Every structure is written in C-alpha cells, then in structure tokens.
C-alpha cells in the first residue's frame, strides 16, 4: 500500500525515561495497567472486525484515566527533551 505508515517495535525499557520518584511511579502505575487493557481491547476489536461474523462486545474504560495517562506521558516527554538539551 503506497504511503502506508511504518512502525518499529521498541522494547519497553527503552520507552522509560525514569523521571518519576518511586512514590509517584507507584501512584500512577494503575494508569499504565489501564492503558495496557485499553490497547489490548483496541487490538482485539481490530482483529475481530476483520471477521465476517464479528460478535458485538462492549468494554468500558475511564476517559479520565486515559487523559491522565496521556498527561503523564506528555510531562515525561517534556522532561526527557529538557534533559537531552544539557
């Protein structure tokens, strides 16, 4: 397919920037677990929709938790980029 996006698999340890203290990391670890379940649901739905007889299914997630996880990642990227400048 022309113009298709290409993605590389990156090991999880390379994604971590270790910017949070242990206390905050533990406090926010539930958000990481929620996002793991959320991405798994998206993957499952994508695989199921390719089948002609795909069953109907509902999975619920907290929109607030997804936004909190995105904010956590955004802050991490900003701090990581600031560290790269020095």
């Amino acid at each position: 397919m022309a113009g298709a996006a290409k993605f590389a698999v990156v090991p999880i340890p390379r994604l971590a920037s270790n910017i949070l203290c242990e206390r905050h990391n533990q406090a926010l670890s539930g958000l990481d677990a929620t996002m793991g379940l959320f991405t798994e649901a998206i993957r499952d739905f994508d695989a199921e929709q390719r089948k002609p007889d795909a069953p109907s299914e509902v999975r619920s997630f907290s929109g607030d938790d997804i936004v909190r996880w995105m904010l956590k990642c955004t802050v991490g990227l900003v701090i990581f980029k600031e560290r790269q400048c020095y």
Side-chain angles (χ1 to χ4, degrees), residues 2-23:
K6 294 182 182 180
F7 298 94
V9 176
V10 178
I12 290 176
R14 288 193 50 209
L15 296 174
S17 58
N18 298 321
I19 62 163
L20 297 175
C21 68
E22 185 175 339
R23 179 178 144 238

Side-chain angles (χ1 to χ4, degrees), residues 7-8 20 22 25 28 34 39 45 47 52 58 60 62 86:
F7 298 94
L20 297 175
E22 185 175 339
N25 193 44
L28 296 172
T34 297
T39 55
F45 287 146
V58 174
S60 297
S62 166
Y86 300 107

Side-chain angles (χ1 to χ4, degrees), residues 43-63:
R43 229 179 277 124
D44 291 348
F45 287 146
D46 182 55
E48 288 297 318
Q49 291 306 309
R50 296 172 192 273
K51 298 177 182 176
D53 58 341
S56 181
E57 183 180 351
V58 174
R59 297 188 199 178
S60 297
F61 296 91
S62 166

